[in-house]
Each structure stands twice: as structure tokens, then as C-alpha cells.
Amino acid sequence: LWYGKRPLVLYTLYGPTSDSTHANSIMLQQFSADALDPVGTAAELIPPVPGLNNVTGSKQVPADAPLVVLASDATGAVYEAVIRP
């Protein structure tokens, strides 16, 4: 998604745990203005949670408004992260 003048990629990083469940994280990767090259390393927005599902959020956000991203886990708990311009 484009946030301001920069493209961002939000994704769920799937990782195994010792008890055969998955502790997944929500990650954010910034890209260059031409959307070709990653900028820096990915940032963890939501730390590992067992059974965390895919990230979702608005597809369009005004440049000066915060971006809210959500994910839920297998029990129905909802996790939220806010990205500010």
C-alpha cells in the first residue's frame, strides 16, 4: 500500500513454536519511492502471538492520518498497531 509518498508492505511472518503451533508476527517493510528497493530492515508491529492470522487494514489512508492495522488470533482476540506519518 502507498502511505504518503512511500510504499509499505505489511505481512504476517509465520514462525513455528516448540509445541507445534505457530507464533506469528505482523511485520512492516518500507520501500524506496520508486517501489523497487527495500529501505532498512522490516519492523515488527505486533510481536509473536500463537495462532495470529493475517494482517488487514485500510487500502487507502490520507497522507496525514494514522494507519491502523489489525490481526486476530485463533481464539478471536484482536491485535492492533498504529502507524503514524
Side-chain angles (χ1 to χ4, degrees):
L1 81 112
W2 287 83
Y3 188 48
K5 296 184 179 189
R6 294 271 181 183
L8 303 176
V9 173
L10 297 163
Y11 62 95
T12 304
L13 179 64
Y14 294 94
T17 62
S18 60
D19 63 357
S20 76
T21 61
H22 292 277
N24 307 326
S25 303
I26 302 302
M27 307 295 290
L28 165 77
Q29 177 65 60
Q30 296 184 33
F31 279 78
S32 59
D34 62 6
L36 297 177
D37 299 305
V39 174
T41 58
E44 185 178 75
L45 296 180
I46 299 174
V49 174
L52 189 66
N53 297 312
N54 292 336
V55 64
T56 189
S58 298
K59 303 303 178 214
Q60 294 182 331
V61 179
D64 59 345
L67 171 64
V68 177
V69 295
L70 303 167
S72 63
D73 66 16
T75 66
V78 176
Y79 301 84
E80 172 184 281
V82 178
I83 304 166
R84 300 199 183 279

